[in-house]
Amino acid sequence: MRHLAILCCFFFVACLDKSEKKETHKENNNKKSEVTLMTLDPGHFHAALVQKSMYKQVNNNVYVYGPKGPDIKHHLTRLEGFNTRKENPTQWIEKVYEGNDYLQKMISEKPGNVMVVSGKNNKKIDYIKAAIDAGIHVYADKPMIINPEGFNFLEEVFKKAAEKGLIVYDIMTERFEITTILQRELSMNTNVFGTLVEGTPEKPAITKESVHHFFKYVSGKPLKRPNWFFDTKQRGEGLNDVSTHLVDLVQWEAFPNITLKKSDIEIIDAKHWTTSLSKEMFKKVTGADTFPDFLKKDLDGELLNINCNGSITYKIKGKMAKTSVIWNFQAPEGTGDTHYSIMRGSKCDLIIKQGVEENYKPKLYIKINANEDATKFEENLKTAIGTTINQKYSGVKLEKLDNKTWFLDIPQEYKIGHEQHFEQVTINFLKYLKEGNMPAWEIPNMIVKYYTTSEAFKFANKN
């Protein structure tokens, strides 16, 4: 018995020593880190993608607050996948609280200084307002609002955040897609692009169109979407959800580094329409055998009609723009979400296509206008690629398709994909956080962006 007691004592001391080392490591981690994340109500898979990579500036411990249910379970499963993958596994430690008072609990405990929010869009503005009131920075998935009423709150939130020295930032991943970046770069070269034309409703100066799919693969696994994702009262319509990305790109490309204001926007037309899902489709993407009660308002017989598609035609600083969002159920084999864009200049058009001819991979074309001298234009284009473009993105090559059209051959290293863009946006956010400010145009242009989607929503729903 005496020997057993001694062994137990040694075991206890060893465990205590191990525990103390673990606790010390945690404390050291906290001391080294400038940012501790708090993930609130993670109902969308984008919340997990923020943590697909590790960041030196961010504490390994992440505090998760949300209601009991499948959303948190799916969120933790995705993070566990990142932690246990073979290549570059993450080391996140999730501290989870589940309960109906999750928002109040986060605010009262306040273990972190940045709130990450990606879930039910109808609740986001309340979450964001509560965080700012409590002195917490906000890193929010789009959209931050889904109706005009929310826009009024958002303007107040930005005002209060500025007074408190806090940052509110939404996750605009599409700014980091390489063909979009190069389209923007070339549009800023007047020797190649000239200037953006005024455009017409039938032939806008700048067009952005994206096609999305309810059933898709994320990190190599079929994505299970929550039931609420199909309720436009909770998620929003295409006009004020995915359109946020497209409106952002219109501003970012057509008016780079320029501060915009609400009076720069004039809605010309806005439409919305539905995509229908059968019970079998709904089950495939959610796992649910039946439609929940809150979706019965959208049922037409056996089909669920989701008002998820939308287009906006509008003027921005006198230039005609158009955005379109289309949702299909599932992409054809070997394809995925697609993007189309055109910027019309006085010297050429810059066109991004992602269709069959491009093997469903985005490709940037340069098409000269009929009245331009082809020889001189090609010289200017080669100069632009060889200097400005290659200084920033080495290895990009110009290829000639015909006498009027060229395309860019882009090295694979720049084609990192949507999921990896979350790391790039997060690094950008952390940089702003460390410096304590953002470019002067960011906040005003975020306000204009959400003003545009809100006004379009009102236009489409006025009848």
Side-chain angles (χ1 to χ4, degrees):
M1 290 293 291
R2 183 183 176 190
H3 290 298
L4 180 62
I6 292 172
L7 284 171
C8 289
C9 182
F10 276 121
F11 179 74
F12 174 75
V13 171
C15 288
L16 182 62
D17 181 60
K18 186 177 180 181
S19 175
E20 286 177 349
K21 286 181 179 177
K22 185 176 180 181
E23 190 64 30
T24 301
H25 170 75
K26 179 177 137 184
E27 288 175 2
N28 287 341
N29 180 273
N30 283 332
K31 288 177 182 177
K32 291 178 182 177
S33 303
E34 302 168 21
V35 175
T36 298
L37 302 177
M38 300 179 296
T39 304
L40 186 71
D41 195 11
H44 195 283
F45 71 95
H46 285 176
L49 290 181
V50 170
Q51 293 176 241
K52 192 170 183 179
S53 304
M54 302 295 295
Y55 312 94
K56 290 181 180 179
Q57 197 176 337
V58 180
N59 187 353
N60 289 33
N61 295 309
V62 178
Y63 297 82
V64 182
Y65 295 86
K68 289 184 179 180
D71 284 355
I72 283 187
K73 180 182 176 182
H74 293 321
H75 176 69
L76 296 176
T77 299
R78 292 180 188 115
L79 293 176
E80 181 63 19
F82 300 155
N83 278 348
T84 57
R85 68 191 178 207
K86 291 182 179 180
E87 293 186 16
N88 299 317
T90 54
Q91 297 90 41
W92 299 110
I93 301 167
E94 304 299 309
K95 309 287 186 178
V96 183
Y97 175 82
E98 293 180 279
N100 292 332
D101 61 340
Y102 58 92
L103 176 59
Q104 294 78 8
K105 194 76 171 176
M106 184 195 76
I107 297 300
S108 62
E109 293 183 346
K110 200 178 172 181
N113 56 348
V114 172
M115 180 186 74
V116 176
V117 59
S118 177
K120 295 179 180 178
N121 297 329
N122 62 323
K123 295 184 176 182
K124 272 188 191 164
I125 188 60
D126 295 327
Y127 294 161
I128 294 169
K129 184 178 183 301
I132 295 301
D133 287 343
I136 300 166
H137 300 287
V138 173
Y139 189 42
D141 190 28
K142 61 80 197 159
M144 291 196 279
I145 58 166
I146 61 170
N147 54 49
E149 294 74 25
F151 177 75
N152 296 328
F153 284 107
L154 187 64
E155 283 193 295
E156 288 300 315
V157 162
F158 278 122
K159 182 179 179 182
K160 185 169 287 188
E163 292 170 355
K164 292 189 170 190
L166 297 171
I167 288 180
V168 179
Y169 193 64
D170 59 354
I171 303 173
M172 294 288 103
T173 51
E174 299 308 309
R175 292 187 192 178
F176 294 85
E177 196 281 316
I178 187 61
T179 56
T180 298
I181 290 171
L182 296 177
Q183 185 184 43
R184 181 180 191 255
E185 289 285 342
L186 287 177
S187 74
M188 295 168 69
N189 189 313
T190 54
N191 288 331
V192 171
F193 185 67
T195 57
L196 190 69
V197 302
E198 289 189 6
T200 65
E202 297 74 28
K203 201 173 181 180
I206 180 168
T207 298
K208 297 282 178 184
E209 180 183 289
S210 64
V211 179
H212 291 255
H213 302 89
F214 288 121
F215 183 83
K216 64 200 294 187
Y217 289 86
V218 174
S219 299
K221 298 178 181 178
L223 175 64
K224 288 292 181 186
R225 295 191 187 271
N227 292 355
W228 62 260
F229 186 81
F230 299 88
D231 182 11
T232 54
K233 296 294 183 184
Q234 298 183 69
R235 176 193 159 213
E237 295 188 8
L239 283 170
N240 46 27
D241 181 14
V242 178
S243 289
T244 309
H245 274 307
L246 305 184
V247 171
D248 181 76
L249 290 181
V250 167
Q251 297 179 178
W252 187 69
E253 290 193 69
F255 302 97
N257 307 321
I258 293 176
T259 299
L260 302 169
K261 52 187 183 296
K262 292 185 290 185
S263 58
D264 290 328
I265 304 300
E266 179 189 353
I267 304 296
I268 305 300
D269 189 28
K271 297 182 176 70
H272 56 183
W273 61 97
T274 63
T275 294
S276 299
L277 298 188
S278 65
K279 282 185 180 180
E280 292 74 23
M281 292 175 174
F282 188 74
K283 182 176 181 179
K284 184 175 181 179
V285 74
T286 65
D289 292 316
T290 59
F291 295 119
D293 288 342
F294 60 77
L295 287 178
K296 288 183 177 178
K297 66 183 187 320
D298 300 320
L299 286 176
D300 182 8
E302 295 294 311
L303 292 178
L304 178 68
N305 292 326
I306 311 157
N307 218 357
C308 52
N309 309 294
S311 67
I312 311 170
T313 303
Y314 64 108
K315 281 187 178 181
I316 174 169
K317 290 186 78 68
K319 308 292 186 180
M320 194 68 68
K322 184 175 182 179
T323 64
S324 300
V325 173
I326 299 166
W327 279 87
N328 297 324
F329 175 67
Q330 184 175 353
E333 187 70 28
T335 71
D337 294 349
T338 61
H339 177 73
Y340 168 81
S341 172
I342 182 168
M343 294 184 74
R344 303 182 193 277
S346 56
K347 294 185 177 181
C348 73
D349 292 344
L350 302 172
I351 310 163
I352 297 173
K353 293 183 181 180
Q354 197 175 349
V356 177
E357 292 182 6
E358 293 75 34
N359 197 25
Y360 296 101
K361 305 296 181 184
K363 197 170 187 177
L364 177 59
Y365 297 90
I366 302 99
K367 188 171 183 178
I368 188 174
N369 291 346
N371 58 344
E372 288 295 307
D373 182 281
T375 303
K376 184 178 180 181
F377 177 84
E378 187 170 18
E379 288 177 3
N380 290 337
L381 183 55
K382 286 179 178 178
T383 299
I385 302 302
T387 56
T388 308
I389 299 300
N390 284 151
Q391 284 173 9
K392 295 181 180 180
Y393 305 95
S394 62
V396 173
K397 297 178 181 178
L398 182 67
E399 300 288 345
K400 194 166 187 176
L401 192 63
D402 56 44
N403 290 332
K404 294 184 177 181
T405 313
W406 296 258
F407 67 90
L408 296 187
D409 183 7
I410 302 170
Q412 193 62 37
E413 63 186 280
Y414 299 121
K415 302 175 183 179
I416 64 172
H418 177 64
E419 292 184 31
Q420 283 68 42
H421 292 155
F422 279 82
E423 177 183 1
Q424 293 176 301
V425 183
T426 303
I427 289 171
N428 210 42
F429 169 72
L430 293 173
K431 174 177 173 285
Y432 292 158
L433 205 60
K434 186 175 182 178
E435 295 174 351
N437 58 32
M438 290 189 283
W441 51 267
E442 275 281 19
I443 297 300
N445 289 11
M446 269 194 265
I447 292 171
V448 170
K449 171 174 60 185
Y450 285 108
Y451 174 76
T452 302
T453 57
S454 295
E455 290 298 299
F457 177 83
K458 284 197 292 187
F459 192 105
N461 286 278
K462 66 183 179 181
N463 295 325

